[in-house]
Amino acid sequence: MRVRSPRISDGYEESSSSPSSTNKSVQLAAFAHDSDVAVFLPRNATLSHHEEAKEGNVAASDGVEVDRVGVWVSRTWQFLAQPFTWLSMLSRELDVTFVTGVMVVYGVSQGIAYALSRVVVDYYWRDVQEKEPSTVQFYRGITVIPWDVKPLYGLLTDLLPFFGYHRRPYFVLAGLITISVYIVLVFGGKLLASTALAMFVGASASAAMADVTIDALVAMKSREKPELASHIQTLCGTCSSAGSLSGFLLSGLAVAIFGSQFALGIMLVPGILLLVLGFTIAEPRLPRHLWRSGQVGKQMKEACFTMWDTMKIAQVWQPSIYMYLTWALVPDISEGKFYWFNDFDVGPGFSEEFVGVIYAMGSVGTLLGVAIYHRYLRHWTFRRLLLWSQILLALSGMLDLVLVTRVNRKLLIPDTLFAVVDEAVSSAIARIKWMPLLVLAAKLCPPGIEGTFFALLMSIDNVGTLSSSWVGSVLLRVTGIRRTNFQYLWLTVLIRNGMRLLPLPFLFLVPNTDPDLPLLPTELLGHDNSTLPQVVETESDDDEDSETAKLADLEPSNKGTQIEQL
């Protein structure tokens, strides 16, 4: 079996045509299809056929019935070991540094950062800057803007190496920016609102840079091993949910102990980890003659043509429109609800610690959503799953209406219990809706510019999120929601719930196919298609340089192009 050298443009690649390699791929595909280890649940209530046969042989040879207690203990041990077995499999098949990178970026950088933006940053705007809910909701939209230009980061990470590396320098840069920004926020005293906003935008930009860098590897791995695509997204979703859960539990307590400004110092930890990741993640280095050849401008031009040609395909632009509409048509009113949580007159008057607990239960809900998707829903068609998840999301919003109208008290349900259940249920359904969109985006990425194109699709989602936040800001202002005025919060929630049904008429834009099937038509997957630029295969005396050079230079678009099956 011959193993090719790692791919320069996007990470690592292994290819072989030997029977042993084929058998291994078949076995891996079967394991990935049937395995439920990612959800930390027992696979079924009976022994596998192999174990049943083995048990039967023991009974036949020894004439002794299998000890049921021993079997139960064995199953329990297997159940507890499943997460570790699953992670071991992913580390072996996908590279341990890739798995570690997913944990750092999705779990620590994004998970904890998201928790801080929901708790510590909100308290910072309320207590330090003394801003109104609608203003904070507007600021939240501004901090999303760096995520809307993710294709730019993708182009840089795919095509502009530093010192021969495509990924490492951007992790290092993201870590340095994060550390610098939060040092200013923590030790800079009471900053001007505009300065503080600029700092948060900078932190958002660094998180987006780290995200697009790991997204490139996620998209590449999903394309190279499509049988593990849903497992990779499960890993990403699990790390994100676990990170946000830890962050929420920590952030509420940190605000209560240190205050909202000094609690922002927690974000120095993700910055340090990103810095370390940049120096440790495995990535082959480009030969010196390639990254000093001055071809970056030409390759960027070709990449832009590649993205444009790909976006013109109906199977790509139609779901992209839906990705935007599914978020943009639904207003985000989370800031109004947050201020109501902390109000002692008309609201429940929750403490900082308990607000963190509420959002932590939301993270538990997202973990549950990932588990439900992976075990029961990952083979549903995109359209069917998005239809029911959108309907359930609208229905779950009625729990907010019950809470803000205090109907739960008439039902003798405490605010504390109802709030955590509400957040967990809503977050689980939202995660179930989000997972197929991630799988869909990963499968639409052409080879060679995975980071750029996945970033483009995710930026479409982020523009939708920005629109949602600004529409929510307008809705909060129109309904008169202020720091101490929540008279029409129930109406705001009711309008939001009704608008959650607006994306349903646009579901025809989403492919009604199984997530495991290719999304692009067969005629677009041939060698003669003129949509994507080919990779030039050059010869070199050095095998390693030859393999990397094959994937480093792009042929001009007028010499024939190709779309590789995702």
Side-chain angles (χ1 to χ4, degrees):
M1 182 177 71
R2 179 171 180 258
V3 180
R4 295 184 59 184
S5 62
R7 239 180 120 157
I8 290 302
S9 63
D10 50 15
Y12 329 95
E13 180 178 13
E14 180 179 351
S15 62
S16 172
S17 58
S18 66
S20 61
S21 176
T22 303
N23 292 336
K24 180 180 179 182
S25 299
V26 172
Q27 294 171 0
L28 179 60
F31 176 81
H33 183 275
D34 297 331
S35 173
D36 292 314
V37 295
V39 299
F40 314 104
L41 295 173
R43 295 180 58 178
N44 49 50
T46 62
L47 294 173
S48 66
H49 297 301
H50 175 73
E51 290 171 328
E52 288 174 354
K54 183 178 180 180
E55 183 179 347
N57 291 336
V58 172
S61 60
D62 299 336
V64 179
E65 184 179 358
V66 176
D67 186 355
R68 294 186 178 181
V69 175
V71 172
W72 182 85
V73 171
S74 176
R75 291 177 181 173
T76 302
W77 174 254
Q78 292 177 4
F79 165 64
L80 295 176
Q82 280 179 352
F84 304 99
T85 303
W86 180 64
L87 286 175
S88 176
M89 181 273 295
L90 292 180
S91 299
R92 182 177 62 254
E93 299 296 334
L94 301 173
D95 187 83
V96 65
T97 59
F98 166 76
V99 175
T100 303
V102 168
M103 291 179 178
V104 169
V105 177
Y106 287 113
V108 181
S109 178
Q110 290 187 31
I112 293 179
Y114 174 73
L116 288 173
S117 68
R118 287 292 302 272
V119 180
V120 181
V121 175
D122 280 352
Y123 277 112
Y124 176 84
W125 287 121
R126 192 195 73 158
D127 299 336
V128 179
Q129 299 291 341
E130 300 178 347
K131 298 299 180 181
E132 296 290 341
S134 58
T135 302
V136 178
Q137 192 73 62
F138 182 76
Y139 286 168
R140 182 180 289 275
I142 292 178
T143 58
V144 174
I145 290 177
W147 292 80
D148 299 333
V149 294
K150 283 178 65 177
L152 175 60
Y153 308 141
L155 281 172
L156 294 176
T157 59
D158 280 334
L159 303 175
L160 184 60
F162 286 94
F163 306 105
Y165 294 104
H166 279 279
R167 314 298 180 195
R168 283 186 169 187
Y170 295 96
F171 284 128
V172 172
L173 181 59
L176 291 175
I177 293 176
T178 301
I179 293 172
S180 302
V181 162
Y182 283 99
I183 286 178
V184 173
L185 285 168
V186 173
F187 301 105
K190 183 177 180 180
L191 304 173
L192 292 175
S194 57
T195 304
L197 181 60
M199 292 296 103
F200 287 123
V201 170
S204 180
S206 66
M209 185 181 299
D211 175 76
V212 76
T213 306
I214 200 68
D215 280 349
L217 298 178
V218 168
M220 180 269 296
K221 294 294 185 182
S222 298
R223 179 178 55 82
E224 287 184 352
K225 297 192 175 181
E227 68 276 8
L228 291 178
S230 62
H231 284 259
I232 294 173
Q233 292 302 334
T234 299
L235 174 65
C236 297
T238 302
C239 291
S240 178
S241 299
S244 60
L245 171 60
S246 303
F248 282 131
L249 293 175
L250 179 63
S251 59
L253 183 62
V255 170
I257 296 176
F258 303 109
S260 57
Q261 185 165 7
F262 286 101
L264 291 172
I266 300 173
M267 275 304 297
L268 293 173
V269 175
I272 294 172
L273 291 179
L274 286 175
L275 192 63
V276 173
L277 179 64
F279 288 105
T280 57
I281 192 168
E283 181 185 6
R285 190 182 186 190
L286 273 168
R288 184 178 298 270
H289 69 278
L290 291 180
W291 60 273
R292 289 189 174 182
S293 61
Q295 297 295 315
V296 173
K298 179 181 177 181
Q299 291 179 359
M300 282 192 175
K301 181 180 178 181
E302 293 296 333
C304 290
F305 279 118
T306 297
M307 289 192 295
W308 173 248
D309 290 338
T310 306
M311 286 300 298
K312 291 190 294 186
I313 303 173
Q315 288 82 354
V316 177
W317 67 259
Q318 288 181 349
S320 299
I321 292 177
Y322 182 82
M323 288 180 187
Y324 170 76
L325 293 177
T326 192
W327 306 115
L329 294 177
V330 182
D332 181 1
I333 59 170
S334 57
E335 295 303 327
K337 189 177 173 183
F338 170 79
Y339 276 68
W340 180 78
F341 277 163
N342 290 274
D343 188 88
F344 287 92
D345 296 327
V346 297
F350 294 142
S351 65
E352 293 89 345
E353 299 95 321
F354 191 74
V355 170
V357 170
I358 292 174
Y359 292 136
M361 290 305 299
S363 298
V364 173
T366 61
L367 282 170
L368 179 62
V370 171
I372 293 174
Y373 167 79
H374 185 83
R375 187 173 179 86
Y376 301 108
L377 306 176
R378 59 193 170 103
H379 298 299
W380 282 30
T381 63
F382 290 112
R383 193 178 297 175
R384 180 188 178 193
L385 183 52
L386 289 172
L387 168 66
W388 286 108
S389 61
Q390 196 70 44
I391 293 174
L392 290 176
L393 196 61
L395 293 176
S396 68
M398 293 302 174
L399 294 175
D400 286 340
L401 186 63
V402 171
L403 183 62
V404 300
T405 55
R406 319 315 294 275
V407 173
N408 60 292
R409 287 190 171 185
K410 297 179 181 179
L411 299 175
L412 302 180
I413 303 176
D415 290 335
T416 52
L417 176 61
F418 199 87
V420 295
V421 172
D422 176 14
E423 190 69 23
V425 171
S426 300
S427 298
I429 297 174
R431 178 61 66 170
I432 291 174
K433 172 190 172 181
W434 178 231
M435 293 298 291
L437 293 176
L438 289 174
V439 175
L440 177 62
K443 286 183 171 291
L444 294 177
C445 295
I449 55 168
E450 290 88 352
T452 305
F453 203 78
F454 192 85
L456 175 63
L457 296 177
M458 290 297 98
S459 69
I460 293 173
D461 276 23
N462 293 324
V463 172
T465 302
L466 182 147
S467 301
S468 173
S469 186
W470 284 356
V471 171
S473 175
V474 173
L475 181 59
L476 289 171
R477 186 170 291 276
V478 169
T479 54
I481 305 302
R482 299 291 185 269
R483 292 169 59 90
T484 57
N485 183 10
F486 304 97
Q487 181 179 359
Y488 293 105
L489 183 58
W490 65 271
L491 179 61
T492 308
V493 172
L494 192 60
I495 294 174
R496 189 274 315 267
N497 293 345
M499 294 181 70
R500 280 181 170 177
L501 297 174
L502 293 180
L504 294 181
F506 300 96
L507 272 172
F508 72 92
L509 297 171
V510 179
N512 193 27
T513 60
D514 189 292
D516 293 333
L517 298 178
L519 296 180
L520 298 178
T522 305
E523 60 270 18
L524 295 177
L525 301 174
H527 293 279
D528 295 328
N529 186 270
S530 59
T531 303
L532 300 179
Q534 281 185 333
V535 174
V536 179
E537 295 195 359
T538 60
E539 297 295 334
S540 173
D541 295 332
D542 187 291
D543 287 342
E544 180 173 318
D545 286 356
S546 175
E547 294 294 334
T548 56
K550 291 177 183 180
L551 295 160
D553 297 327
L554 293 175
E555 186 82 13
S557 58
N558 59 359
K559 293 186 179 180
T561 54
Q562 168 187 0
I563 293 182
E564 182 175 328
Q565 181 172 347
L566 302 177

